[in-house]
């Protein structure tokens, strides 16, 4: 899920894997528009600079432009043929750039909804696209290990920036637009001179994954945080590492500059937030209080307050001058994965794994709005194929069908235990629900009656996932009892059972390709398999299974060529010690006929 504020800060747009975009009026405390039309999960959204339009991109390979006032779709931008993970408006709002897994970047005319240019050159998925501050250049980052800079007017590739040794997931322009920073899965950061196309900075200082890169407000420094427990400050002009901020005892998940650029905040898995002097690198405060990993940190626009949030389900507000915690904001029921201030600083928005959004007053710490609605926490939610209904499954042992237009509860289906999985039939006339007690129930959505109670999974082994076949004649259920079952919807009989796993089955998917039906299932131990389904016959096509190798009496002295970080990891994981200690290595072993694989 992702949320963004409108430019004026009076509205929030949120996206979800349910294929919708929702616009929320902060003042009125309500959802003003549900933007439907995408046929796949929505990957990214962006407001136009004027705030009158929202662009959304999706797994369905399209980009949609929406009118914020009416909620109507102005344009459907078609041209990409694979997932579109990134969109961005030009600074003047007249153009929109989109990046796709089809290896292209497209530039669109916002008013007419037509494609102006298709930028070709990348040889792998393009995951990020950004405009320069002046709007004359577009930068794209790709899994082909390169960054490309394009002329926004002509569509010509001006520069191909090579040097990374792994996928490049993100790029960002400096405030002046003369520098470009890129991060890569090769654990490096590179700073490029846009005019010369030369790499001014090669960061190989971190010893583990780089989690975030942040450019200072003045654009003369770059801060990076890493799984190696450090924050590093780099000089933009020379590429020299000015500071290594050490103090965290575990991976640093988030880093942020204060608006004035004189302070840096970092949040870590070690449950602390640290404030650093950006010039000297000295740690001015260690902010302790979170009872779980800190996922994110954010400064207020004025720079006098810092917000942090994490796995302990709380949002905390800190006075950056005194280091005191001014408010502990409690309300979320699961890890809070993201926080941000409104542009005017009057609200703090938090979003959580509990599927709720909360808007807080940073002066009082009071929650002004909660965008949620169930008596107990939800385990599963899905829309009807028509989009006019939504069904939710809860720990209150019920599944509830809601009218999306009115918000009224239309039907209540009851289980004997918690409801943990749901699926609509392709026609929307049935709902299948799975429970912690191992049962599956099939319901008539018009009458609200239970058509079948499907019993076969081991009692009290959770039904983790349910799907319908594409024709709607079969319900497929997965369970912690290490099996997958295929049920005939007409008779309620079990057609087939798959029992090839050694642990609970966590996820399943139905695939129809060239008239042939396939079922893919994943397991808690890491195994993945695919079966071909023909009527009542199910045959294994391939499986990638996890195997384990036990190494008795392993010590660092027995292994050659280890780096220092490898030695530390082996020590942490028990490779060194008494002879009875074991080090267990996991690997992948492929099974199945030649020519099939994952």
């Amino acid at each position: 899920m992702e949320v963004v504020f409108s430019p004026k800060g009076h509205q929030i747009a949120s996206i979800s894997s349910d294929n919708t975009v929702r616009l929320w009026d902060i003042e009125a405390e309500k959802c003003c528009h549900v933007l439907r039309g995408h046929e796949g999960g929505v990957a990214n959204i962006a407001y136009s600079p004027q705030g009158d339009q929202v662009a959304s991109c999706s797994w369905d390979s399209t980009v949609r432009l929406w009118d914020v006032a009416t909620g109507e779709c102005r344009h459907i931008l078609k041209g990409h043929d694979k997932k579109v993970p990134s969109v961005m408006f030009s600074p003047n709002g007249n153009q929109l750039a989109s990046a796709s897994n089809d290896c292209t970047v497209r530039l669109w005319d916002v008013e007419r909804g037509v494609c102006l240019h298709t930028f070709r050159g990348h040889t792998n998925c393009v995951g990020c696209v950004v405009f320069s501050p002046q709007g004359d250049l577009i930068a794209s980052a790709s899994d082909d290990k390169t960054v490309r800079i394009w002329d926004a007017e002509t569509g010509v590739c001006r520069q191909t920036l090579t040097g990374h040794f792994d996928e490049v997931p993100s790029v960002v322009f400096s405030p002046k637009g003369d520098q470009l920073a890129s991060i890569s899965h090769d654990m490096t950061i590179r700073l490029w001179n846009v005019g010369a196309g030369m790499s001014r900075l090669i960061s190989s200082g971190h010893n583990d994954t780089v989690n975030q890169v942040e450019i200072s407000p003045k654009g003369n420094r770059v801060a990076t945080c890493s799984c190696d427990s450090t924050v590093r400050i780099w000089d933009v002009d020379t590429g020299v590492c000015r500071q290594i901020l050490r103090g965290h005892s575990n991976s640093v998940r988030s880093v942020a500059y204060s608006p004035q650029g004189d302070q840096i905040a970092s949040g870590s898995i070690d449950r602390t937030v640290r404030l650093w002097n950006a010039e000297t690198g000295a740690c001015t405060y260690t902010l302790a209080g979170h009872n779980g990993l800190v996922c994110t940190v954010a400064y207020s626009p004025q720079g006098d307050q810092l917000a942090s949030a994490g796995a302990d389900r709380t949002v905390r507000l800190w006075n950056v001058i005194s280091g005191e915690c001014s408010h502990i904001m409690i309300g979320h029921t699961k890890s809070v994965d993201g926080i941000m201030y409104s542009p005017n600083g009057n609200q703090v928005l938090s979003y959580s794994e509990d599927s709720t959004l909360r808007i807080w007053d940073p002066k009082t710490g009071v929650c002004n709005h909660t965008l949620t609605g169930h008596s107990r926490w939800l385990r599963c939610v899905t829309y009807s194929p028509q989009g006019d209904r939504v069904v939710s499954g809860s720990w209150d042992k019920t599944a509830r069908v809601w009218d999306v237009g009115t918000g009224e509860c239309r039907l209540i289906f009851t289980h004997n235990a918690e409801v943990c999985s749901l699926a609509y039939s392709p026609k929307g006339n049935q709902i299948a629900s799975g429970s912690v007690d191992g049962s599956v129930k099939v319901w008539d959505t018009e009458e609200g009656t239970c058509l079948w109670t499907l019993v076969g999974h081991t009692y009290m082994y959770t039904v983790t996932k349910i799907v319908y076949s594409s024709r709607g004649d079969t319900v497929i259920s997965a369970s912690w009892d290490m099996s997958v079952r295929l049920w005939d919807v007409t008779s309620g009989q079990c057609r087939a059972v798959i029992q090839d796993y050694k642990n609970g089955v966590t996820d399943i998917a139905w695939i129809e390709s060239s008239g042939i039906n396939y079922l893919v299932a994943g397991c808690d131990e890491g195994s993945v398999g695919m079966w071909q389904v023909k009527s009542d016959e199910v045959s294994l096509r391939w499986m990638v299974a996890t195997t384990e190798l036990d190494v008795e009496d392993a010590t660092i002295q027995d292994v050659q060529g280890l780096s220092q970080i490898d030695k530390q990891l082996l020590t942490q994981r028990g490779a060194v010690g008494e002879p009875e200690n074991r080090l267990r290595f996991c690997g992948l072993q492929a099974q199945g006929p030649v020519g099939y694989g994952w």
Side-chain angles (χ1 to χ4, degrees):
M1 187 173 183
E2 181 180 352
V3 292
V4 295
F5 271 100
S6 64
K8 294 182 180 179
H10 68 281
Q11 192 179 72
I12 294 171
S14 62
I15 64 174
S16 173
S17 57
D18 66 10
N19 306 350
T20 68
V21 178
R22 289 176 179 259
L23 303 182
W24 307 86
D25 188 305
I26 296 175
E27 186 68 24
E29 305 181 26
K30 67 178 183 179
C31 176
C32 49
H33 295 296
V34 181
L35 312 181
R36 296 189 179 90
H38 283 298
E39 297 177 355
V42 183
N44 189 228
I45 47 173
Y47 274 96
S48 64
Q50 298 78 17
D52 60 335
Q53 292 190 76
V54 167
S56 60
C57 58
S58 167
W59 281 92
D60 66 10
S61 308
T62 70
V63 177
R64 288 177 177 253
L65 293 175
W66 309 86
D67 187 293
V68 169
T70 65
E72 294 180 353
C73 182
R74 289 183 175 179
H75 297 293
I76 303 174
L77 310 182
K78 297 182 178 180
H80 291 297
D81 56 22
K82 289 186 179 180
K83 175 190 175 184
V84 184
S86 177
V87 289
M88 184 178 185
F89 279 95
S90 62
N92 61 14
N94 294 335
Q95 297 175 338
L96 183 80
S98 60
S100 172
N101 286 6
D102 65 9
C103 309
T104 70
V105 173
R106 286 178 177 258
L107 184 65
W108 309 85
D109 184 291
V110 171
E111 182 65 27
R112 295 179 295 154
V114 298
C115 182
L116 302 175
H117 298 293
T118 300
F119 305 153
R120 304 182 190 277
H122 284 297
T123 59
N124 208 329
C125 302
V126 186
C128 180
V129 61
V130 292
F131 274 93
S132 65
Q134 296 77 20
D136 59 333
L137 298 176
I138 295 172
S140 56
S142 171
D143 289 356
D144 66 6
K145 310 174 188 178
T146 72
V147 174
R148 286 178 177 255
I149 299 176
W150 312 83
D151 189 302
E153 183 177 355
T154 65
V156 173
C157 180
R158 288 190 178 182
Q159 296 162 346
T160 301
L161 310 179
T162 60
H164 284 299
F165 301 102
D166 207 337
E167 300 171 355
V168 184
S170 183
V171 290
V172 60
F173 276 99
S174 65
K176 294 181 180 179
D178 58 340
Q179 304 283 337
L180 187 72
S182 61
I183 62 174
S184 170
H185 291 166
D186 64 11
M187 296 181 287
T188 68
I189 307 98
R190 287 179 179 255
L191 192 70
W192 311 85
N193 184 306
V194 173
M198 300 294 292
S199 176
R200 302 290 300 279
L201 167 64
I202 302 176
S203 161
S204 57
H206 286 297
N207 297 318
D208 209 330
T209 302
V210 177
N211 291 321
Q212 188 176 349
V213 57
E214 185 81 5
I215 295 180
S216 67
K218 295 181 180 179
N220 61 336
R221 295 287 188 270
V222 173
T224 57
C225 63
S226 168
C227 289
D228 67 4
S229 308
T230 71
V231 175
R232 293 176 185 249
I233 311 301
W234 310 89
D235 187 284
V236 167
D237 292 327
T238 65
V240 173
C241 181
R242 294 293 187 182
Q243 305 287 345
I244 301 177
L245 312 184
R246 293 188 174 95
H248 286 296
S249 60
N250 210 322
S251 172
V252 185
R253 292 282 299 271
S254 181
V255 64
Y257 267 101
S258 65
Q260 296 78 17
D262 59 342
Q263 194 177 68
I264 294 170
S266 57
S268 170
I269 290 180
D270 68 9
R271 304 184 178 189
T272 68
V273 176
R274 286 180 176 256
L275 301 182
W276 313 82
N277 184 302
E279 184 62 29
T280 67
C283 180
T284 55
Y285 289 109
T286 300
L287 310 180
H290 281 291
N291 295 318
L293 68 90
V294 180
C295 298
T296 182
V297 293
Y299 278 95
S300 66
Q302 296 77 21
D304 58 341
Q305 194 177 66
L306 182 81
S308 62
D312 63 0
R313 311 170 193 175
T314 69
V315 177
R316 291 174 181 256
L317 300 183
W318 309 85
N319 184 307
V320 300
I321 304 299
S322 66
E324 297 293 327
C325 180
S326 57
H327 298 291
I328 302 174
M329 303 187 301
I330 300 173
H332 285 296
T333 58
K334 284 190 177 181
S335 174
V336 185
D337 294 335
I339 48 173
M340 62 188 70
Y341 281 84
S342 61
N344 59 13
N346 290 338
Q347 296 101 21
V348 174
L349 171 71
S350 59
Y351 56 97
S352 167
E353 292 178 10
D354 64 8
S355 302
T356 69
L357 302 172
R358 288 179 175 260
I359 299 174
W360 313 82
D361 186 324
K363 294 181 179 179
T364 64
V366 173
C367 179
N368 293 330
H369 313 296
T370 302
L371 309 180
T372 186
H374 209 283
S375 60
R376 296 188 65 184
W377 73 282
L378 304 180
R379 183 67 182 267
C380 47
V381 179
T382 186
Y383 270 91
S384 67
Q386 297 79 16
D388 58 340
R389 297 286 188 271
V390 65
V391 59
S392 57
S394 170
W395 282 106
D396 62 10
K397 304 180 184 179
T398 68
R400 296 171 181 262
V401 180
W402 310 82
D403 185 298
V404 174
T406 65
E408 296 179 355
C409 181
R410 296 296 188 183
L411 297 170
I412 299 178
F413 305 141
T414 303
H415 273 270
N416 294 323
E418 293 85 347
V419 180
C420 51
S421 52
L422 289 165
Y424 258 103
S425 64
K427 295 181 180 180
N429 60 330
Q430 292 182 355
I431 291 173
S433 57
S435 173
V436 170
D437 64 8
S439 68
V440 177
K441 290 179 179 285
V442 180
W443 309 87
D444 185 297
T445 58
E446 292 297 325
E447 302 295 331
T449 56
C450 181
L451 301 176
W452 303 105
T453 298
L454 311 178
V455 179
H457 288 297
T458 305
Y459 178 65
M460 294 309 294
Y461 277 75
T462 299
V463 178
T464 55
K465 185 67 177 287
I466 295 177
V467 297
Y468 271 87
S469 63
S470 54
R471 293 195 301 172
D473 58 345
T474 304
V475 168
I476 305 96
S477 58
S479 169
W480 278 110
D481 69 1
M482 301 180 284
S483 74
V484 175
R485 288 178 176 262
L486 285 75
W487 310 87
D488 187 285
V489 172
T490 304
S491 65
Q493 298 298 309
C494 182
R495 291 172 47 192
V497 182
I498 299 171
Q499 294 178 308
D500 292 320
Y501 284 108
K502 298 180 180 179
N503 286 85
V505 184
T506 56
D507 201 7
I508 51 176
W510 183 272
I511 303 172
E512 183 175 347
S513 178
S514 301
I516 302 176
N517 296 320
Y518 299 98
L519 180 68
V520 179
C523 180
D524 183 50
E525 65 172 19
S527 301
V528 178
M530 186 171 81
W531 288 262
Q532 182 175 338
V533 181
K534 294 181 179 179
S535 185
D536 294 339
E537 180 185 349
V538 179
S539 57
L540 178 66
R541 299 301 300 271
W542 54 261
M543 177 177 284
V544 177
T546 302
T547 61
E548 293 182 334
L549 173 65
D550 289 334
V551 181
E552 300 282 355
D553 306 337
T555 67
I556 288 177
Q557 288 73 26
D558 297 330
V559 185
Q560 301 298 317
L562 291 176
S563 67
Q564 187 61 37
I565 189 67
D566 290 333
K567 294 179 181 179
Q568 292 175 4
L569 289 171
L570 290 172
T571 302
Q572 294 170 2
R573 295 171 187 178
V576 179
E578 298 301 321
E580 62 267 19
N581 287 350
R582 284 185 174 182
L583 175 65
R584 180 167 283 186
F585 297 90
C586 290
L588 292 178
Q589 177 180 352
Q591 302 174 356
V594 177
Y596 293 91
W598 186 249

